[in-house]
């Protein structure tokens, strides 16, 4: 039985050392061509924002040049950036989306 005790103690020690994954902000950038309504659609479709939240973020992008869509672990943030860029490209809009470490 001593072997089992040592093994579980080691595993518990390893678990205690794990830190949460790094988080990344997903940000939309303003441009002079993408329609505001398209930005609202993107925010609703890819970031699960309701109409009011999406409109507020879109206005922030329009007025300040960038707007925060959400904060996610690296893989999820990267996927959302790729989805937004592909969707914008598919609809022939130059909308840019980036991720930044928090």
């Amino acid at each position: 039985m001593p072997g089992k005790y040592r093994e579980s103690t080691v595993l518990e020690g390893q678990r205690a050392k794990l830190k949460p994954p790094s988080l990344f902000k997903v940000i939309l950038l303003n441009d002079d061509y993408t329609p505001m309504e398209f930005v609202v659609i993107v925010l609703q479709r890819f970031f699960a924002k309701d109409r009011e939240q999406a409109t507020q973020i879109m206005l922030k992008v329009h007025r300040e040049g960038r707007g925060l869509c959400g904060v996610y672990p690296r893989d999820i943030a990267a996927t959302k950036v790729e989805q937004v860029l592909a969707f914008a490209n598919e609809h022939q809009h130059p909308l840019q989306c980036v991720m930044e470490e928090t």
Side-chain angles (χ1 to χ4, degrees), residues 39-52:
V39 175
V40 170
I41 291 167
V42 164
L43 289 161
Q44 290 179 300
R45 181 171 182 165
F46 298 104
F47 300 97
K49 303 298 184 191
D50 63 31
R51 181 90 181 158
E52 185 177 331

Side-chain angles (χ1 to χ4, degrees), residues 56-72:
Q56 290 303 312
I57 295 168
M58 175 275 296
L59 289 171
K60 186 169 179 73
V61 171
H62 180 69
R63 292 180 183 139
E64 299 177 23
R66 54 195 283 133
L68 178 66
C69 304
V71 179
Y72 308 94

Side-chain angles (χ1 to χ4, degrees), residues 19-102:
K19 64 178 186 170
S22 297
L23 295 177
F24 290 78
K25 297 184 274 189
V26 177
I27 299 167
L28 287 178
L29 304 177
N30 189 41
D31 64 73
D32 294 333
Y33 303 101
T34 304
M36 292 178 179
E37 184 59 31
F38 184 79
V39 175
V40 170
I41 291 167
V42 164
L43 289 161
Q44 290 179 300
R45 181 171 182 165
F46 298 104
F47 300 97
K49 303 298 184 191
D50 63 31
R51 181 90 181 158
E52 185 177 331
Q53 291 171 315
T55 300
Q56 290 303 312
I57 295 168
M58 175 275 296
L59 289 171
K60 186 169 179 73
V61 171
H62 180 69
R63 292 180 183 139
E64 299 177 23
R66 54 195 283 133
L68 178 66
C69 304
V71 179
Y72 308 94
R74 179 192 302 268
D75 291 347
I76 294 171
T79 298
K80 290 194 176 286
V81 168
E82 289 174 21
Q83 289 173 329
V84 169
L85 294 176
F87 188 69
N89 188 48
E90 180 182 322
H91 290 86
Q92 299 179 343
H93 294 301
L95 182 65
Q96 291 298 302
C97 185
V98 297
M99 58 189 260
E100 298 175 355
E101 194 163 7
T102 59

